[in-house]
Amino acid sequence: MLMPSQGIRILVATRPVDFRKGHDGLASMVQSALAQDPFTGTVFVFRAKRADRMKILFWDGSGLVMTYKRLEENSFIWPAIRDGAITLNRPQFEALFAGLDWRRVRSLEPRRPAAAE
């Protein structure tokens, strides 16, 4: 998948959107419904009414990139439908994109190794 590397902000719009919308329509939704700037490099994830479809929109520095994915046998596990968006970290997004339960993904807390005696 073409997507920015580590350290990128990922926002998932929780309310389903009209999947007939293209680049400009989704960018407009980012501005109006999410009060965000679609041209910052943030990755915006949208769901359809049917839970087996997602669209991803992000600015790569030279243009808007839109990706569409449909699961063939399952549905994505989406956050509860409400206004606004939630933030996912990269491992949670990768689980969502793979059709896995992203809610079970936890980042490990960095720890210093114990000193060898």
Side-chain angles (χ1 to χ4, degrees), residues 32-108:
S32 63
L34 304 179
Q36 298 288 320
D37 181 354
F39 305 106
T40 60
T42 298
V43 174
F44 298 97
V45 181
F46 298 94
R47 64 166 291 178
K49 287 182 182 175
R50 294 182 57 171
D52 64 342
R53 296 150 202 259
M54 81 163 51
K55 280 189 177 180
I56 301 165
L57 184 75
F58 68 92
W59 175 258
D60 73 351
S62 64
L64 282 171
V65 177
M66 186 174 65
T67 304
Y68 176 88
K69 183 169 184 178
R70 180 186 72 214
L71 291 178
E72 294 300 325
E73 296 184 20
N74 296 308
S75 295
F76 293 107
I77 299 183
W78 293 105
I81 295 174
R82 57 185 171 78
D83 289 335
I86 66 164
T87 301
L88 296 185
N89 61 35
R90 179 79 184 228
Q92 289 171 322
F93 169 76
E94 289 175 357
L96 172 66
F97 190 79
L100 303 173
D101 189 348
W102 59 272
R103 299 168 298 183
R104 296 177 174 251
V105 176
R106 301 277 184 260
S107 295
L108 297 175

